[in-house]
């Protein structure tokens, strides 16, 4: 599934998107609107026209990159790879639950989060340790991001099994060293 | 001058004139100077090779160092990098991308409006929702409901939608019309969740006072959903599943 919302039985009226549409090679985002909303725009008097838009809406070069990016994601089966590698990453990170400071490990697709706590029972957040692990992991060659007390993982969809294992190994060694 | 030839110290020195997003000097003393990337790897100006477990900011899907994307960018920029796209004008790539995206995410989503990022997209969504109800004669239908702990961006409206108090404190007053409700993080839910049940279903059961629910949760749930007041149980942002099944009844 290409879109997160497709994992549930939703009927969106408006959907925001950005980020991965160009893989970051150009700046691009947007919204998609339902036919019902479109119809309301098409039937408006000019006094009530939709007075909204940006200088860079529909930027030609950004859109050209977006087209190619979607083509690459489909051609190289990156959605399927993300699912496969995501399962491997989640399974690997779940092994870290044996550390006293790892309170929760969760994930969906190729996005995972590892919550760092002071105590598994009280679930009290440990912001200082989360930042310490983030910085120590970087020194060991792994970039993660402390989002509150959660270490976030969302690697490129082209990641392979060996690289997924590397994430788990480096994070495990980092937590082991920090204690 | 190619930027790749600048050494670490030179970049760090020049960088002192730049203000970075979510800035505090204590976290920018010794910035990682990223010079190039290849696949999942980024390479720093001081010679380090780092696995980017965050794909930049969750977005470098096809990985770094792709050669096809810059080629289409080059060709398009030579032809036409940019011109106005306001009503009355269009260009081939934006028209083609809109036609590719039509129906791709959902059969009902056939029209695309382009922005340059997520905050702009969310502001566009808020204004479009209000526009819809304005046109339907319901001008007072202006409220937005979002989750506590959810991040929606940093424009004035997206900041108000964001359910993380840290983003609000120093920028008040918030844009009006944004209401925050409880988030669906299973790990942080204080009540009992029976197998196969979502957090929302468990919370609803607790409110009904069914035996499996925790009686005290009703009060806590109220204070969580009481926008802006009461004690917030999620002062820090966490990674949450969206749990839209919980949103349905709204
Ligand atoms: C869920 C979500 N919404 C909105 C945004 C804001 O997007 P941008 O930073 O492109 O304005 C982000 C960015 O992190 C996001 O993750």
């Amino acid at each position: 599934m290409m879109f997160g919302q497709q994992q549930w039985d939703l009927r969106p009226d408006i959907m925001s998107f950005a980020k991965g549409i160009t893989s970051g090679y150009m700046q691009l985002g947007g919204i998609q609107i339902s036919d019902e909303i479109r119809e309301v725009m098409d039937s408006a008097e000019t006094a009530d026209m939709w007075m909204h838009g940006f200088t860079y809406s529909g930027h030609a070069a950004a859109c050209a990159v977006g087209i190619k990016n979607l083509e690459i994601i489909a051609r190289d089966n990156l959605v399927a790879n993300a699912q496969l590698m995501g399962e491997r990453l989640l399974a690997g990170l779940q092994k870290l639950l044996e550390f006293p400071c790892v309170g929760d490990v969760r994930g969906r697709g190729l996005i995972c989060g590892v919550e760092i706590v002071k105590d598994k029972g009280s679930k009290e957040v440990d912001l200082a340790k989360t930042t310490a692990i983030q910085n120590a992991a970087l020194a060991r060659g792994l970039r993660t991001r402390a989002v509150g007390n959660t270490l976030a993982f969302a690697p490129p969809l082209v990641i392979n099994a060996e690289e997924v294992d590397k994430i788990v190994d480096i994070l495990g060694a980092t937590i082991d060293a920090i204690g | 001058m190619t930027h790749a030839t600048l050494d670490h110290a030179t970049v760090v020195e020049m960088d002192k004139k730049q203000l970075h997003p979510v800035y505090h000097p204590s976290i920018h003393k010794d910035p990682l100077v990223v010079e190039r990337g290849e696949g999942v790897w980024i390479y720093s100006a001081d010679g380090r090779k780092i696995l980017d477990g965050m794909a930049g900011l969750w977005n470098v899907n096809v990985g770094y160092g792709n050669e096809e994307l810059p080629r289409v960018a080059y060709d398009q920029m030579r032809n036409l990098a940019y011109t106005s796209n306001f009503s009355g004008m269009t260009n081939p790539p934006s028209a083609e991308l809109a036609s590719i995206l039509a129906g791709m995410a959902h059969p009902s989503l056939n029209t695309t409006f382009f922005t340059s990022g997520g905050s702009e997209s969310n502001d566009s969504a808020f204004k479009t929702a209000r526009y819809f109800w304005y046109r339907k004669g319901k001008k007072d239908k202006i409220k937005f409901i979002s989750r506590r702990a959810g991040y929606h961006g940093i424009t004035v409206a997206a900041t108000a939608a964001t359910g993380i108090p840290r983003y609000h404190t120093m920028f008040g007053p918030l844009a009006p019309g944004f209401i925050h409700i409880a988030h669906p993080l299973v790990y942080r839910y204080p009540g009992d969740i029976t197998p196969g049940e979502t957090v929302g279903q468990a919370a609803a059961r607790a409110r009904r006072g069914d035996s499996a629910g925790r009686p005290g949760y009703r009060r806590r749930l109220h204070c969580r959903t009481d926008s802006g007041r009461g004690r917030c149980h999620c002062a820090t942002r966490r990674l949450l599943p969206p749990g839209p099944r919980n949103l349905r009844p709204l």
Side-chain angles (χ1 to χ4, degrees):
Chain A
M1 271 169 290
M2 185 98 157
F3 296 86
Q5 52 99 352
Q6 290 169 336
Q7 301 190 45
W8 299 277
D9 178 25
L10 295 183
R11 293 179 296 278
D13 300 299
I14 304 178
M15 184 188 80
S16 281
F17 64 91
K19 301 255 189 215
I21 184 80
T22 56
S23 288
Y25 283 73
M26 291 284 277
Q27 304 91 325
L28 186 67
I31 58 171
Q32 290 200 289
I33 60 171
S34 67
D35 298 343
E36 194 185 356
I37 296 174
R38 175 64 189 260
E39 154 52 29
V40 156
M41 293 177 174
D42 287 340
S43 61
E45 303 287 337
T46 50
D48 272 349
M49 66 193 272
W50 188 67
M51 291 295 288
H52 179 77
F54 302 99
T55 295
Y56 291 132
S57 286
H59 190 284
C63 289
V65 170
I67 294 166
K68 184 53 108 181
N69 181 59
L70 291 175
E71 185 190 312
I72 294 170
I73 289 171
R75 183 195 68 202
D76 296 352
N77 293 315
L78 295 186
V79 175
N81 189 61
Q83 189 56 39
L84 216 62
M85 293 301 117
E87 282 161 17
R88 189 180 183 100
L89 180 61
L90 183 60
L93 292 175
Q94 271 165 345
K95 289 192 221 131
L96 306 182
L97 279 165
E98 67 191 41
F99 289 109
C101 70
V102 177
D104 190 35
V105 173
R106 51 183 175 267
R108 195 178 280 260
L110 194 50
I111 296 185
C112 289
V114 176
E115 264 205 52
I116 305 300
V117 295
K118 286 188 177 145
D119 178 85
K120 274 194 212 270
S122 73
K123 302 184 181 179
E124 190 186 340
V125 306
D126 196 335
L127 293 175
K129 188 172 277 184
T130 313
T131 306
I133 294 170
Q134 170 197 266
N135 295 340
L138 186 63
R140 287 170 183 259
L142 170 67
R143 178 172 174 255
T144 171
R145 185 159 169 254
V147 182
N149 73 313
T150 300
L151 293 164
F153 295 89
L157 309 189
V158 292
I159 196 166
N160 62 35
E162 194 188 325
E163 291 159 344
V164 165
D165 296 348
K166 190 118 193 151
I167 292 179
V168 176
D169 289 349
I170 295 179
L171 185 66
T174 306
I175 296 176
D176 196 30
I178 285 184
Chain B
M1 180 178 77
T2 119
H3 293 282
T5 61
L6 297 176
D7 64 29
H8 177 88
T10 309
V11 175
V12 170
E13 189 51 37
M14 294 190 303
D15 188 61
K16 289 178 180 161
K17 300 296 181 205
Q18 181 179 191
L19 180 61
H20 289 265
V22 286
Y23 176 74
H24 190 270
S26 66
I27 49 176
H28 201 70
K29 271 185 257 167
D30 184 24
L32 180 70
V33 179
V34 183
E35 207 169 66
R36 86 194 158 81
E38 197 67 50
V40 301
W41 302 94
I42 49 179
Y43 297 84
S44 70
D46 56 2
R48 296 149 68 192
K49 178 185 177 187
I50 293 155
L51 198 165
D52 188 0
M54 273 297 297
L57 288 172
W58 335 79
N59 56 339
V60 186
N61 285 338
V62 302
Y64 296 101
N66 180 284
E67 298 206 358
E68 295 173 84
L69 297 176
R71 222 171 277 135
V72 298
Y74 176 85
D75 290 343
Q76 185 57 46
M77 285 183 184
R78 280 292 288 117
N79 264 340
L80 175 79
Y82 165 83
T83 187
S84 171
N85 197 45
F86 274 34
S87 283
M89 291 175 77
T90 191
N91 60 69
S94 69
E96 188 183 345
L97 183 53
S99 86
I100 290 169
L101 290 171
M104 186 188 253
H106 194 275
S108 75
L109 300 174
N110 294 303
T111 300
T112 302
F113 167 74
F114 291 109
T115 69
S116 300
S119 302
E120 285 186 2
S121 296
N122 286 337
D123 275 42
S124 300
F126 303 144
K127 287 175 74 179
T128 301
R130 284 186 179 169
Y131 175 84
F132 176 81
W133 290 113
Y134 163 86
R135 291 272 297 115
K136 290 280 181 189
K138 297 195 172 179
K139 293 178 194 171
D140 55 353
K141 215 166 153 60
I142 54 162
K143 289 181 194 155
F144 298 98
I145 300 170
S146 61
R147 298 281 199 180
R148 289 204 186 283
Y151 181 78
H152 299 291
I154 40 64
T155 47
V156 173
T159 294
T162 291
I164 309 163
R166 280 205 75 185
Y167 285 92
H168 300 159
T169 320
M170 62 299 291
F171 298 121
L174 290 182
F178 290 85
I179 296 154
H180 300 112
I181 60 167
H183 63 63
L185 176 52
V186 176
Y187 181 63
R188 295 279 166 189
Y189 177 67
D192 307 307
I193 299 173
T194 57
E197 198 179 40
T198 66
V199 180
Q201 287 162 341
R205 180 166 48 73
R207 289 192 85 138
R208 284 196 311 268
D210 297 2
S211 55
R214 243 172 70 172
Y217 189 63
R218 183 181 185 132
R219 200 172 49 247
R220 284 196 296 279
L221 185 75
H222 179 76
C223 107
R224 277 184 173 201
T225 55
D226 187 352
S227 178
R229 278 169 287 140
R231 203 161 78 83
C232 177
H233 291 247
C234 37
T236 53
R237 179 184 168 211
R238 301 188 187 94
L239 285 167
L240 311 177
R245 237 173 307 167
N246 309 338
L247 274 175
R248 257 288 170 63
L250 296 170

